[in-house]
Amino acid sequence: MENRKHLIFLSGFLLTELILYVLILKESGKLLVVSSFAAIALCFVYALVNLKRSSTFIVAGLACTVAADVFLVVCSPIQRLWGMVFFTLAQTMYAIKLHLESRNKKILVARVALTVAIELAAVIILKDKLDVLAAVSVCYYANLFVNIIEAFTVFKKGRLFAVGLVLFLLCDTVIGLQVMSQLYLQIPESSIVYKILFMPFNLSWFFYLPAQVLIALSGKVKRREE
C-alpha cells in the first residue's frame, strides 16, 4: 500500500513538473515567474514529503535552491549575489552528503585546492573587475565541479544525483557566460557563443529544471563499496 501511494505521488510530481516545464520554455512575464518558482518549490516539497527515501542533505540543498530562486526569479530586480550565496550553500549541502558517502579525504583536499586555484585564476584574469559576486560564483563553480566528480566516483548505481549535477553545471555555465558578457567580459554580438547564449529560447531552464527534478528523485544511493 505504501509503495502504491508513493507511485501515485511520484506520478503526480512528474506530470506536474512536465506541465510546468512546457510553460517555462514557452511563456514569459508573470506566468513564467510563477511557473519557474513553483517548479523548483515542488522539487523541494517532493523531497521533503519523501524524506525517509531521501538524504537530509538533498532536502537541505533543495531548500537552499528555493531560497536562491527567491532572489533570482521572484525578486525584481534580481539579487544575483544573494542568489549565488544560497546556490553555494546548496552545493555545500551536497558536498557534505557526498563526503559522508565516500569518506574520501583526498577529494576533500582536492576540493579546497581547486577552489583556491580557481579563485587565484579569477583574481589574475578579472583583476580590478573582481567583486564579491565573482568571488562567490567562483567558489560555487569549484564546489559544483568537484561534486560532479565525486558523485560519479562514489556511486555504483542510481546516478540520478550525478546526472542532475551535470545538468546543473550546464545551466549555470549558460547563466554565468551571460552575466560575464554583461559585467566582466566582452563577447561580440556577432559571435556564435553570443547567439547561443541569447537565443530566443530559455536555454538555462532547459537544463535547470530537469537537474532539480533528478536531484529530488535521487534519494539515498548505495556507496561503491556496498
PDB file of all heavy atoms in Angstrom, residues 57 60-62 64-65 84-98 111 139-148 161 164-165 168-169 172 212 215:
ATOM      1  N   PHE A  57      20.490  15.897   3.440  1.00  0.00           N
ATOM      2  CA  PHE A  57      21.290  16.952   2.819  1.00  0.00           C
ATOM      3  C   PHE A  57      20.772  17.311   1.425  1.00  0.00           C
ATOM      4  O   PHE A  57      20.959  18.429   0.957  1.00  0.00           O
ATOM      5  CB  PHE A  57      22.765  16.541   2.770  1.00  0.00           C
ATOM      6  CG  PHE A  57      23.395  16.501   4.132  1.00  0.00           C
ATOM      7  CD1 PHE A  57      23.623  15.293   4.774  1.00  0.00           C
ATOM      8  CD2 PHE A  57      23.730  17.680   4.789  1.00  0.00           C
ATOM      9  CE1 PHE A  57      24.173  15.263   6.047  1.00  0.00           C
ATOM     10  CE2 PHE A  57      24.295  17.654   6.053  1.00  0.00           C
ATOM     11  CZ  PHE A  57      24.516  16.441   6.689  1.00  0.00           C
ATOM     12  N   ALA A  60      17.999  19.658   2.287  1.00  0.00           N
ATOM     13  CA  ALA A  60      18.573  20.949   2.679  1.00  0.00           C
ATOM     14  C   ALA A  60      19.101  21.702   1.457  1.00  0.00           C
ATOM     15  O   ALA A  60      18.937  22.918   1.347  1.00  0.00           O
ATOM     16  CB  ALA A  60      19.703  20.726   3.684  1.00  0.00           C
ATOM     17  N   GLY A  61      19.720  20.965   0.519  1.00  0.00           N
ATOM     18  CA  GLY A  61      20.231  21.598  -0.700  1.00  0.00           C
ATOM     19  C   GLY A  61      19.112  22.166  -1.553  1.00  0.00           C
ATOM     20  O   GLY A  61      19.227  23.266  -2.099  1.00  0.00           O
ATOM     21  N   LEU A  62      18.017  21.421  -1.647  1.00  0.00           N
ATOM     22  CA  LEU A  62      16.868  21.907  -2.417  1.00  0.00           C
ATOM     23  C   LEU A  62      16.225  23.117  -1.738  1.00  0.00           C
ATOM     24  O   LEU A  62      15.732  24.025  -2.406  1.00  0.00           O
ATOM     25  CB  LEU A  62      15.843  20.778  -2.587  1.00  0.00           C
ATOM     26  CG  LEU A  62      16.260  19.664  -3.552  1.00  0.00           C
ATOM     27  CD1 LEU A  62      15.312  18.482  -3.448  1.00  0.00           C
ATOM     28  CD2 LEU A  62      16.304  20.176  -4.991  1.00  0.00           C
ATOM     29  N   CYS A  64      17.862  25.363  -0.038  1.00  0.00           N
ATOM     30  CA  CYS A  64      18.754  26.479  -0.399  1.00  0.00           C
ATOM     31  C   CYS A  64      18.517  26.920  -1.836  1.00  0.00           C
ATOM     32  O   CYS A  64      18.596  28.113  -2.153  1.00  0.00           O
ATOM     33  CB  CYS A  64      20.214  26.063  -0.211  1.00  0.00           C
ATOM     34  SG  CYS A  64      20.710  25.819   1.504  1.00  0.00           S
ATOM     35  N   THR A  65      18.219  25.961  -2.713  1.00  0.00           N
ATOM     36  CA  THR A  65      17.937  26.274  -4.114  1.00  0.00           C
ATOM     37  C   THR A  65      16.660  27.104  -4.234  1.00  0.00           C
ATOM     38  O   THR A  65      16.595  28.062  -5.013  1.00  0.00           O
ATOM     39  CB  THR A  65      17.808  24.989  -4.937  1.00  0.00           C
ATOM     40  OG1 THR A  65      19.029  24.243  -4.843  1.00  0.00           O
ATOM     41  CG2 THR A  65      17.539  25.294  -6.407  1.00  0.00           C
ATOM     42  N   MET A  84      23.535  33.630  -5.559  1.00  0.00           N
ATOM     43  CA  MET A  84      24.738  32.803  -5.621  1.00  0.00           C
ATOM     44  C   MET A  84      25.161  32.319  -4.245  1.00  0.00           C
ATOM     45  O   MET A  84      25.710  31.220  -4.106  1.00  0.00           O
ATOM     46  CB  MET A  84      25.877  33.593  -6.275  1.00  0.00           C
ATOM     47  CG  MET A  84      25.718  33.795  -7.770  1.00  0.00           C
ATOM     48  SD  MET A  84      25.389  32.252  -8.669  1.00  0.00           S
ATOM     49  CE  MET A  84      26.787  31.237  -8.190  1.00  0.00           C
ATOM     50  N   VAL A  85      24.928  33.123  -3.217  1.00  0.00           N
ATOM     51  CA  VAL A  85      25.248  32.690  -1.849  1.00  0.00           C
ATOM     52  C   VAL A  85      24.448  31.432  -1.502  1.00  0.00           C
ATOM     53  O   VAL A  85      25.000  30.451  -0.987  1.00  0.00           O
ATOM     54  CB  VAL A  85      24.950  33.811  -0.829  1.00  0.00           C
ATOM     55  CG1 VAL A  85      24.965  33.256   0.592  1.00  0.00           C
ATOM     56  CG2 VAL A  85      25.968  34.932  -0.959  1.00  0.00           C
ATOM     57  N   PHE A  86      23.159  31.440  -1.810  1.00  0.00           N
ATOM     58  CA  PHE A  86      22.330  30.278  -1.486  1.00  0.00           C
ATOM     59  C   PHE A  86      22.618  29.093  -2.402  1.00  0.00           C
ATOM     60  O   PHE A  86      22.533  27.938  -1.971  1.00  0.00           O
ATOM     61  CB  PHE A  86      20.848  30.660  -1.530  1.00  0.00           C
ATOM     62  CG  PHE A  86      20.377  31.337  -0.271  1.00  0.00           C
ATOM     63  CD1 PHE A  86      20.204  32.713  -0.230  1.00  0.00           C
ATOM     64  CD2 PHE A  86      20.142  30.597   0.879  1.00  0.00           C
ATOM     65  CE1 PHE A  86      19.792  33.339   0.935  1.00  0.00           C
ATOM     66  CE2 PHE A  86      19.731  31.215   2.053  1.00  0.00           C
ATOM     67  CZ  PHE A  86      19.551  32.585   2.077  1.00  0.00           C
ATOM     68  N   PHE A  87      22.989  29.348  -3.651  1.00  0.00           N
ATOM     69  CA  PHE A  87      23.400  28.247  -4.523  1.00  0.00           C
ATOM     70  C   PHE A  87      24.682  27.606  -3.998  1.00  0.00           C
ATOM     71  O   PHE A  87      24.870  26.389  -4.075  1.00  0.00           O
ATOM     72  CB  PHE A  87      23.609  28.734  -5.948  1.00  0.00           C
ATOM     73  CG  PHE A  87      22.370  28.702  -6.793  1.00  0.00           C
ATOM     74  CD1 PHE A  87      22.073  29.741  -7.660  1.00  0.00           C
ATOM     75  CD2 PHE A  87      21.497  27.627  -6.731  1.00  0.00           C
ATOM     76  CE1 PHE A  87      20.925  29.723  -8.441  1.00  0.00           C
ATOM     77  CE2 PHE A  87      20.347  27.590  -7.515  1.00  0.00           C
ATOM     78  CZ  PHE A  87      20.064  28.635  -8.366  1.00  0.00           C
ATOM     79  N   THR A  88      25.589  28.429  -3.470  1.00  0.00           N
ATOM     80  CA  THR A  88      26.826  27.914  -2.884  1.00  0.00           C
ATOM     81  C   THR A  88      26.520  27.066  -1.659  1.00  0.00           C
ATOM     82  O   THR A  88      27.131  26.009  -1.448  1.00  0.00           O
ATOM     83  CB  THR A  88      27.767  29.073  -2.498  1.00  0.00           C
ATOM     84  OG1 THR A  88      28.047  29.865  -3.658  1.00  0.00           O
ATOM     85  CG2 THR A  88      29.084  28.544  -1.933  1.00  0.00           C
ATOM     86  N   LEU A  89      25.556  27.514  -0.854  1.00  0.00           N
ATOM     87  CA  LEU A  89      25.135  26.728   0.314  1.00  0.00           C
ATOM     88  C   LEU A  89      24.533  25.387  -0.130  1.00  0.00           C
ATOM     89  O   LEU A  89      24.752  24.360   0.514  1.00  0.00           O
ATOM     90  CB  LEU A  89      24.119  27.519   1.142  1.00  0.00           C
ATOM     91  CG  LEU A  89      24.670  28.706   1.931  1.00  0.00           C
ATOM     92  CD1 LEU A  89      23.524  29.464   2.602  1.00  0.00           C
ATOM     93  CD2 LEU A  89      25.675  28.239   2.986  1.00  0.00           C
ATOM     94  N   ALA A  90      23.780  25.418  -1.245  1.00  0.00           N
ATOM     95  CA  ALA A  90      23.202  24.178  -1.770  1.00  0.00           C
ATOM     96  C   ALA A  90      24.304  23.188  -2.132  1.00  0.00           C
ATOM     97  O   ALA A  90      24.238  21.996  -1.777  1.00  0.00           O
ATOM     98  CB  ALA A  90      22.334  24.472  -2.990  1.00  0.00           C
ATOM     99  N   GLN A  91      25.329  23.665  -2.831  1.00  0.00           N
ATOM    100  CA  GLN A  91      26.432  22.777  -3.204  1.00  0.00           C
ATOM    101  C   GLN A  91      27.217  22.316  -1.981  1.00  0.00           C
ATOM    102  O   GLN A  91      27.773  21.214  -1.975  1.00  0.00           O
ATOM    103  CB  GLN A  91      27.359  23.476  -4.198  1.00  0.00           C
ATOM    104  CG  GLN A  91      26.741  23.719  -5.556  1.00  0.00           C
ATOM    105  CD  GLN A  91      26.206  22.448  -6.200  1.00  0.00           C
ATOM    106  OE1 GLN A  91      26.823  21.393  -6.111  1.00  0.00           O
ATOM    107  NE2 GLN A  91      25.048  22.550  -6.840  1.00  0.00           N
ATOM    108  N   THR A  92      27.244  23.143  -0.938  1.00  0.00           N
ATOM    109  CA  THR A  92      27.895  22.739   0.308  1.00  0.00           C
ATOM    110  C   THR A  92      27.134  21.584   0.948  1.00  0.00           C
ATOM    111  O   THR A  92      27.738  20.631   1.454  1.00  0.00           O
ATOM    112  CB  THR A  92      27.955  23.920   1.292  1.00  0.00           C
ATOM    113  OG1 THR A  92      28.695  24.995   0.695  1.00  0.00           O
ATOM    114  CG2 THR A  92      28.645  23.507   2.589  1.00  0.00           C
ATOM    115  N   MET A  93      25.803  21.655   0.921  1.00  0.00           N
ATOM    116  CA  MET A  93      24.980  20.552   1.447  1.00  0.00           C
ATOM    117  C   MET A  93      25.252  19.266   0.672  1.00  0.00           C
ATOM    118  O   MET A  93      25.395  18.186   1.253  1.00  0.00           O
ATOM    119  CB  MET A  93      23.494  20.900   1.338  1.00  0.00           C
ATOM    120  CG  MET A  93      23.034  22.060   2.210  1.00  0.00           C
ATOM    121  SD  MET A  93      23.258  21.771   3.986  1.00  0.00           S
ATOM    122  CE  MET A  93      24.712  22.794   4.297  1.00  0.00           C
ATOM    123  N   TYR A  94      25.351  19.386  -0.653  1.00  0.00           N
ATOM    124  CA  TYR A  94      25.611  18.205  -1.479  1.00  0.00           C
ATOM    125  C   TYR A  94      27.025  17.677  -1.242  1.00  0.00           C
ATOM    126  O   TYR A  94      27.260  16.464  -1.280  1.00  0.00           O
ATOM    127  CB  TYR A  94      25.406  18.533  -2.955  1.00  0.00           C
ATOM    128  CG  TYR A  94      24.000  18.984  -3.283  1.00  0.00           C
ATOM    129  CD1 TYR A  94      23.746  19.887  -4.313  1.00  0.00           C
ATOM    130  CD2 TYR A  94      22.910  18.520  -2.548  1.00  0.00           C
ATOM    131  CE1 TYR A  94      22.453  20.304  -4.613  1.00  0.00           C
ATOM    132  CE2 TYR A  94      21.623  18.927  -2.835  1.00  0.00           C
ATOM    133  CZ  TYR A  94      21.397  19.824  -3.868  1.00  0.00           C
ATOM    134  OH  TYR A  94      20.122  20.235  -4.153  1.00  0.00           O
ATOM    135  N   ALA A  95      27.963  18.600  -0.993  1.00  0.00           N
ATOM    136  CA  ALA A  95      29.341  18.185  -0.720  1.00  0.00           C
ATOM    137  C   ALA A  95      29.409  17.389   0.584  1.00  0.00           C
ATOM    138  O   ALA A  95      30.132  16.385   0.675  1.00  0.00           O
ATOM    139  CB  ALA A  95      30.247  19.413  -0.639  1.00  0.00           C
ATOM    140  N   ILE A  96      28.648  17.821   1.590  1.00  0.00           N
ATOM    141  CA  ILE A  96      28.619  17.100   2.865  1.00  0.00           C
ATOM    142  C   ILE A  96      28.032  15.710   2.663  1.00  0.00           C
ATOM    143  O   ILE A  96      28.553  14.716   3.180  1.00  0.00           O
ATOM    144  CB  ILE A  96      27.800  17.885   3.907  1.00  0.00           C
ATOM    145  CG1 ILE A  96      28.506  19.204   4.250  1.00  0.00           C
ATOM    146  CG2 ILE A  96      27.612  17.049   5.179  1.00  0.00           C
ATOM    147  CD1 ILE A  96      27.685  20.129   5.133  1.00  0.00           C
ATOM    148  N   LYS A  97      26.946  15.640   1.908  1.00  0.00           N
ATOM    149  CA  LYS A  97      26.319  14.344   1.606  1.00  0.00           C
ATOM    150  C   LYS A  97      27.324  13.404   0.941  1.00  0.00           C
ATOM    151  O   LYS A  97      27.470  12.243   1.336  1.00  0.00           O
ATOM    152  CB  LYS A  97      25.118  14.545   0.688  1.00  0.00           C
ATOM    153  CG  LYS A  97      24.609  13.273   0.036  1.00  0.00           C
ATOM    154  CD  LYS A  97      23.639  13.550  -1.086  1.00  0.00           C
ATOM    155  CE  LYS A  97      23.456  12.335  -1.981  1.00  0.00           C
ATOM    156  NZ  LYS A  97      23.106  11.098  -1.283  1.00  0.00           N
ATOM    157  N   LEU A  98      28.028  13.918  -0.065  1.00  0.00           N
ATOM    158  CA  LEU A  98      28.977  13.092  -0.801  1.00  0.00           C
ATOM    159  C   LEU A  98      30.140  12.649   0.074  1.00  0.00           C
ATOM    160  O   LEU A  98      30.600  11.506  -0.012  1.00  0.00           O
ATOM    161  CB  LEU A  98      29.494  13.867  -2.021  1.00  0.00           C
ATOM    162  CG  LEU A  98      28.473  14.050  -3.144  1.00  0.00           C
ATOM    163  CD1 LEU A  98      28.943  15.115  -4.123  1.00  0.00           C
ATOM    164  CD2 LEU A  98      28.226  12.733  -3.867  1.00  0.00           C
ATOM    165  N   ARG A 111      39.131  19.437  -3.294  1.00  0.00           N
ATOM    166  CA  ARG A 111      38.087  20.456  -3.318  1.00  0.00           C
ATOM    167  C   ARG A 111      38.640  21.819  -2.863  1.00  0.00           C
ATOM    168  O   ARG A 111      38.417  22.839  -3.511  1.00  0.00           O
ATOM    169  CB  ARG A 111      36.929  20.040  -2.408  1.00  0.00           C
ATOM    170  CG  ARG A 111      35.756  21.010  -2.399  1.00  0.00           C
ATOM    171  CD  ARG A 111      34.722  20.563  -1.374  1.00  0.00           C
ATOM    172  NE  ARG A 111      34.198  19.243  -1.664  1.00  0.00           N
ATOM    173  CZ  ARG A 111      33.227  19.012  -2.522  1.00  0.00           C
ATOM    174  NH1 ARG A 111      32.666  20.016  -3.182  1.00  0.00           N
ATOM    175  NH2 ARG A 111      32.801  17.779  -2.721  1.00  0.00           N
ATOM    176  N   CYS A 139      33.738  30.232  -6.196  1.00  0.00           N
ATOM    177  CA  CYS A 139      33.673  29.226  -5.138  1.00  0.00           C
ATOM    178  C   CYS A 139      32.570  28.221  -5.434  1.00  0.00           C
ATOM    179  O   CYS A 139      32.745  27.005  -5.276  1.00  0.00           O
ATOM    180  CB  CYS A 139      33.437  29.909  -3.790  1.00  0.00           C
ATOM    181  SG  CYS A 139      33.312  28.768  -2.398  1.00  0.00           S
ATOM    182  N   TYR A 140      31.444  28.713  -5.901  1.00  0.00           N
ATOM    183  CA  TYR A 140      30.304  27.868  -6.229  1.00  0.00           C
ATOM    184  C   TYR A 140      30.655  26.889  -7.352  1.00  0.00           C
ATOM    185  O   TYR A 140      30.405  25.681  -7.250  1.00  0.00           O
ATOM    186  CB  TYR A 140      29.123  28.742  -6.640  1.00  0.00           C
ATOM    187  CG  TYR A 140      28.043  27.998  -7.376  1.00  0.00           C
ATOM    188  CD1 TYR A 140      27.145  27.179  -6.693  1.00  0.00           C
ATOM    189  CD2 TYR A 140      27.924  28.088  -8.760  1.00  0.00           C
ATOM    190  CE1 TYR A 140      26.168  26.469  -7.366  1.00  0.00           C
ATOM    191  CE2 TYR A 140      26.941  27.392  -9.437  1.00  0.00           C
ATOM    192  CZ  TYR A 140      26.071  26.583  -8.738  1.00  0.00           C
ATOM    193  OH  TYR A 140      25.100  25.882  -9.409  1.00  0.00           O
ATOM    194  N   TYR A 141      31.234  27.405  -8.427  1.00  0.00           N
ATOM    195  CA  TYR A 141      31.577  26.562  -9.569  1.00  0.00           C
ATOM    196  C   TYR A 141      32.594  25.494  -9.194  1.00  0.00           C
ATOM    197  O   TYR A 141      32.501  24.348  -9.644  1.00  0.00           O
ATOM    198  CB  TYR A 141      32.115  27.411 -10.715  1.00  0.00           C
ATOM    199  CG  TYR A 141      31.056  27.930 -11.640  1.00  0.00           C
ATOM    200  CD1 TYR A 141      30.593  29.236 -11.538  1.00  0.00           C
ATOM    201  CD2 TYR A 141      30.496  27.123 -12.619  1.00  0.00           C
ATOM    202  CE1 TYR A 141      29.606  29.726 -12.383  1.00  0.00           C
ATOM    203  CE2 TYR A 141      29.510  27.595 -13.470  1.00  0.00           C
ATOM    204  CZ  TYR A 141      29.073  28.893 -13.348  1.00  0.00           C
ATOM    205  OH  TYR A 141      28.092  29.365 -14.172  1.00  0.00           O
ATOM    206  N   ALA A 142      33.565  25.866  -8.383  1.00  0.00           N
ATOM    207  CA  ALA A 142      34.592  24.906  -7.968  1.00  0.00           C
ATOM    208  C   ALA A 142      33.967  23.747  -7.201  1.00  0.00           C
ATOM    209  O   ALA A 142      34.275  22.574  -7.448  1.00  0.00           O
ATOM    210  CB  ALA A 142      35.649  25.602  -7.117  1.00  0.00           C
ATOM    211  N   ASN A 143      33.059  24.062  -6.282  1.00  0.00           N
ATOM    212  CA  ASN A 143      32.425  23.014  -5.490  1.00  0.00           C
ATOM    213  C   ASN A 143      31.468  22.160  -6.322  1.00  0.00           C
ATOM    214  O   ASN A 143      31.380  20.946  -6.136  1.00  0.00           O
ATOM    215  CB  ASN A 143      31.674  23.637  -4.306  1.00  0.00           C
ATOM    216  CG  ASN A 143      32.598  23.958  -3.152  1.00  0.00           C
ATOM    217  OD1 ASN A 143      32.991  23.079  -2.396  1.00  0.00           O
ATOM    218  ND2 ASN A 143      32.977  25.212  -3.025  1.00  0.00           N
ATOM    219  N   LEU A 144      30.763  22.793  -7.250  1.00  0.00           N
ATOM    220  CA  LEU A 144      29.880  22.039  -8.136  1.00  0.00           C
ATOM    221  C   LEU A 144      30.683  21.060  -8.990  1.00  0.00           C
ATOM    222  O   LEU A 144      30.297  19.895  -9.164  1.00  0.00           O
ATOM    223  CB  LEU A 144      29.092  22.997  -9.027  1.00  0.00           C
ATOM    224  CG  LEU A 144      28.218  22.374 -10.125  1.00  0.00           C
ATOM    225  CD1 LEU A 144      27.238  21.365  -9.536  1.00  0.00           C
ATOM    226  CD2 LEU A 144      27.476  23.465 -10.891  1.00  0.00           C
ATOM    227  N   PHE A 145      31.807  21.524  -9.510  1.00  0.00           N
ATOM    228  CA  PHE A 145      32.652  20.675 -10.353  1.00  0.00           C
ATOM    229  C   PHE A 145      33.172  19.466  -9.579  1.00  0.00           C
ATOM    230  O   PHE A 145      33.117  18.330 -10.066  1.00  0.00           O
ATOM    231  CB  PHE A 145      33.824  21.502 -10.894  1.00  0.00           C
ATOM    232  CG  PHE A 145      34.705  20.755 -11.855  1.00  0.00           C
ATOM    233  CD1 PHE A 145      34.276  20.463 -13.131  1.00  0.00           C
ATOM    234  CD2 PHE A 145      35.970  20.343 -11.464  1.00  0.00           C
ATOM    235  CE1 PHE A 145      35.085  19.754 -14.019  1.00  0.00           C
ATOM    236  CE2 PHE A 145      36.793  19.644 -12.338  1.00  0.00           C
ATOM    237  CZ  PHE A 145      36.343  19.349 -13.620  1.00  0.00           C
ATOM    238  N   VAL A 146      33.649  19.708  -8.349  1.00  0.00           N
ATOM    239  CA  VAL A 146      34.154  18.599  -7.528  1.00  0.00           C
ATOM    240  C   VAL A 146      33.011  17.667  -7.126  1.00  0.00           C
ATOM    241  O   VAL A 146      33.182  16.450  -7.080  1.00  0.00           O
ATOM    242  CB  VAL A 146      34.883  19.130  -6.280  1.00  0.00           C
ATOM    243  CG1 VAL A 146      35.327  17.963  -5.391  1.00  0.00           C
ATOM    244  CG2 VAL A 146      36.094  19.954  -6.679  1.00  0.00           C
ATOM    245  N   ASN A 147      31.843  18.230  -6.856  1.00  0.00           N
ATOM    246  CA  ASN A 147      30.684  17.403  -6.514  1.00  0.00           C
ATOM    247  C   ASN A 147      30.341  16.432  -7.641  1.00  0.00           C
ATOM    248  O   ASN A 147      29.996  15.271  -7.396  1.00  0.00           O
ATOM    249  CB  ASN A 147      29.467  18.283  -6.211  1.00  0.00           C
ATOM    250  CG  ASN A 147      29.525  18.896  -4.830  1.00  0.00           C
ATOM    251  OD1 ASN A 147      30.331  18.498  -3.982  1.00  0.00           O
ATOM    252  ND2 ASN A 147      28.679  19.878  -4.580  1.00  0.00           N
ATOM    253  N   ILE A 148      30.433  16.921  -8.874  1.00  0.00           N
ATOM    254  CA  ILE A 148      30.148  16.056 -10.024  1.00  0.00           C
ATOM    255  C   ILE A 148      31.148  14.903 -10.094  1.00  0.00           C
ATOM    256  O   ILE A 148      30.766  13.733 -10.267  1.00  0.00           O
ATOM    257  CB  ILE A 148      30.185  16.872 -11.333  1.00  0.00           C
ATOM    258  CG1 ILE A 148      28.986  17.838 -11.385  1.00  0.00           C
ATOM    259  CG2 ILE A 148      30.159  15.938 -12.548  1.00  0.00           C
ATOM    260  CD1 ILE A 148      29.040  18.809 -12.537  1.00  0.00           C
ATOM    261  N   PHE A 161      21.551  11.559  -9.162  1.00  0.00           N
ATOM    262  CA  PHE A 161      22.134  12.723  -8.490  1.00  0.00           C
ATOM    263  C   PHE A 161      23.287  13.303  -9.296  1.00  0.00           C
ATOM    264  O   PHE A 161      23.365  14.514  -9.516  1.00  0.00           O
ATOM    265  CB  PHE A 161      22.609  12.325  -7.092  1.00  0.00           C
ATOM    266  CG  PHE A 161      23.176  13.464  -6.289  1.00  0.00           C
ATOM    267  CD1 PHE A 161      22.368  14.521  -5.887  1.00  0.00           C
ATOM    268  CD2 PHE A 161      24.510  13.473  -5.918  1.00  0.00           C
ATOM    269  CE1 PHE A 161      22.886  15.569  -5.148  1.00  0.00           C
ATOM    270  CE2 PHE A 161      25.039  14.511  -5.177  1.00  0.00           C
ATOM    271  CZ  PHE A 161      24.226  15.560  -4.788  1.00  0.00           C
ATOM    272  N   GLY A 164      22.026  14.895 -12.442  1.00  0.00           N
ATOM    273  CA  GLY A 164      21.386  16.154 -12.066  1.00  0.00           C
ATOM    274  C   GLY A 164      22.397  17.262 -11.871  1.00  0.00           C
ATOM    275  O   GLY A 164      22.189  18.409 -12.304  1.00  0.00           O
ATOM    276  N   LEU A 165      23.518  16.938 -11.247  1.00  0.00           N
ATOM    277  CA  LEU A 165      24.572  17.939 -11.042  1.00  0.00           C
ATOM    278  C   LEU A 165      25.194  18.381 -12.369  1.00  0.00           C
ATOM    279  O   LEU A 165      25.552  19.552 -12.541  1.00  0.00           O
ATOM    280  CB  LEU A 165      25.655  17.389 -10.113  1.00  0.00           C
ATOM    281  CG  LEU A 165      25.260  17.183  -8.646  1.00  0.00           C
ATOM    282  CD1 LEU A 165      26.442  16.630  -7.854  1.00  0.00           C
ATOM    283  CD2 LEU A 165      24.785  18.489  -8.016  1.00  0.00           C
ATOM    284  N   PHE A 168      22.889  20.762 -13.847  1.00  0.00           N
ATOM    285  CA  PHE A 168      23.032  21.981 -13.043  1.00  0.00           C
ATOM    286  C   PHE A 168      24.208  22.801 -13.569  1.00  0.00           C
ATOM    287  O   PHE A 168      24.116  24.029 -13.744  1.00  0.00           O
ATOM    288  CB  PHE A 168      23.279  21.583 -11.584  1.00  0.00           C
ATOM    289  CG  PHE A 168      22.742  22.545 -10.570  1.00  0.00           C
ATOM    290  CD1 PHE A 168      22.343  22.090  -9.327  1.00  0.00           C
ATOM    291  CD2 PHE A 168      22.638  23.900 -10.826  1.00  0.00           C
ATOM    292  CE1 PHE A 168      21.848  22.958  -8.366  1.00  0.00           C
ATOM    293  CE2 PHE A 168      22.153  24.779  -9.874  1.00  0.00           C
ATOM    294  CZ  PHE A 168      21.756  24.299  -8.640  1.00  0.00           C
ATOM    295  N   LEU A 169      25.325  22.119 -13.837  1.00  0.00           N
ATOM    296  CA  LEU A 169      26.521  22.794 -14.347  1.00  0.00           C
ATOM    297  C   LEU A 169      26.266  23.422 -15.716  1.00  0.00           C
ATOM    298  O   LEU A 169      26.696  24.551 -15.978  1.00  0.00           O
ATOM    299  CB  LEU A 169      27.677  21.792 -14.436  1.00  0.00           C
ATOM    300  CG  LEU A 169      28.992  22.345 -14.999  1.00  0.00           C
ATOM    301  CD1 LEU A 169      29.547  23.434 -14.088  1.00  0.00           C
ATOM    302  CD2 LEU A 169      30.015  21.220 -15.162  1.00  0.00           C
ATOM    303  N   ASP A 172      24.196  26.563 -15.214  1.00  0.00           N
ATOM    304  CA  ASP A 172      24.960  27.654 -14.622  1.00  0.00           C
ATOM    305  C   ASP A 172      26.056  28.169 -15.546  1.00  0.00           C
ATOM    306  O   ASP A 172      26.459  29.331 -15.456  1.00  0.00           O
ATOM    307  CB  ASP A 172      25.566  27.200 -13.294  1.00  0.00           C
ATOM    308  CG  ASP A 172      24.504  27.029 -12.222  1.00  0.00           C
ATOM    309  OD1 ASP A 172      23.481  27.726 -12.291  1.00  0.00           O
ATOM    310  OD2 ASP A 172      24.690  26.201 -11.325  1.00  0.00           O
ATOM    311  N   GLN A 212      17.010  19.786 -11.183  1.00  0.00           N
ATOM    312  CA  GLN A 212      16.408  19.778  -9.857  1.00  0.00           C
ATOM    313  C   GLN A 212      15.486  18.580  -9.660  1.00  0.00           C
ATOM    314  O   GLN A 212      15.411  18.013  -8.571  1.00  0.00           O
ATOM    315  CB  GLN A 212      15.636  21.082  -9.634  1.00  0.00           C
ATOM    316  CG  GLN A 212      16.489  22.342  -9.742  1.00  0.00           C
ATOM    317  CD  GLN A 212      17.750  22.254  -8.909  1.00  0.00           C
ATOM    318  OE1 GLN A 212      17.728  21.859  -7.746  1.00  0.00           O
ATOM    319  NE2 GLN A 212      18.870  22.624  -9.508  1.00  0.00           N
ATOM    320  N   ILE A 215      17.720  15.569  -8.983  1.00  0.00           N
ATOM    321  CA  ILE A 215      18.272  15.646  -7.631  1.00  0.00           C
ATOM    322  C   ILE A 215      17.204  15.286  -6.599  1.00  0.00           C
ATOM    323  O   ILE A 215      17.459  14.547  -5.649  1.00  0.00           O
ATOM    324  CB  ILE A 215      18.829  17.062  -7.357  1.00  0.00           C
ATOM    325  CG1 ILE A 215      20.098  17.290  -8.196  1.00  0.00           C
ATOM    326  CG2 ILE A 215      19.159  17.239  -5.871  1.00  0.00           C
ATOM    327  CD1 ILE A 215      20.631  18.706  -8.148  1.00  0.00           C
TER     328      ILE A 215
END
